[in-house]
Amino acid sequence: MKIPAILQGEARTRFLQGIAFGAVATMAIGFIWGGWVTEESARIMRATAETSGRMSVLVPLCVAQFTAADGALAKFKTASIYSKENVVREFVKNVASTSMDYSFAKACATGIETELANAATKS
């Protein structure tokens, strides 16, 4: 059996170098321009998208629950900027089976501030 000329001597070396260069070039182009990501980056992007999607649904519900509570808006208006999340957590314990953590309380407080600003501009 005769071995092809491309796999013999100097040609073999150049062939293997071409394969290695092609693999490296493909990976570089894929990660730089092709949108390829590592597993960790994909996990972070998925978690961020999941959280923002969930928050876009839950924050309006949290704002509605908070504004319906007696005395909540008065206490929220008098609270310092650093303790508004705590006021939200005091009046709203959970929304749609989601417990109130710090990031959710902060998003809800921002939603309440936006709601108050919109109400003030309409008046």
Side-chain angles (χ1 to χ4, degrees):
M1 180 171 165
K2 189 172 181 182
I3 297 176
I6 198 164
L7 296 177
Q8 294 177 356
E10 183 69 24
R12 179 180 177 193
T13 303
R14 296 288 175 225
F15 179 69
L16 294 175
Q17 287 174 343
I19 289 174
F21 178 76
V24 169
T26 300
M27 286 187 276
I29 290 169
F31 278 105
I32 294 171
W33 293 297
W36 297 358
V37 293
T38 62
E39 181 180 352
E40 181 67 16
S41 297
R43 187 187 63 74
I44 291 169
M45 287 188 286
R46 185 192 77 228
T48 302
E50 180 182 317
T51 302
S52 67
R54 197 175 77 224
M55 289 294 181
S56 67
V57 172
L58 294 177
V59 167
L61 296 173
C62 176
V63 171
Q65 280 184 353
F66 185 81
T67 55
D70 292 332
L73 285 176
K75 190 166 185 178
F76 185 83
K77 289 177 182 178
T78 59
S80 72
I81 194 166
Y82 301 108
S83 64
K84 289 187 177 190
E85 294 85 14
N86 294 331
V87 173
V88 171
R89 292 171 83 179
E90 178 183 335
F91 285 96
V92 180
K93 300 297 180 196
N94 57 24
V95 176
S97 300
T98 303
S99 61
M100 186 66 64
D101 62 351
Y102 176 76
S103 62
F104 186 27
K106 186 171 182 167
C108 189
T110 303
I112 294 166
E113 288 175 346
T114 304
E115 188 73 25
L116 290 173
N118 290 341
T121 58
K122 289 180 182 178
S123 297

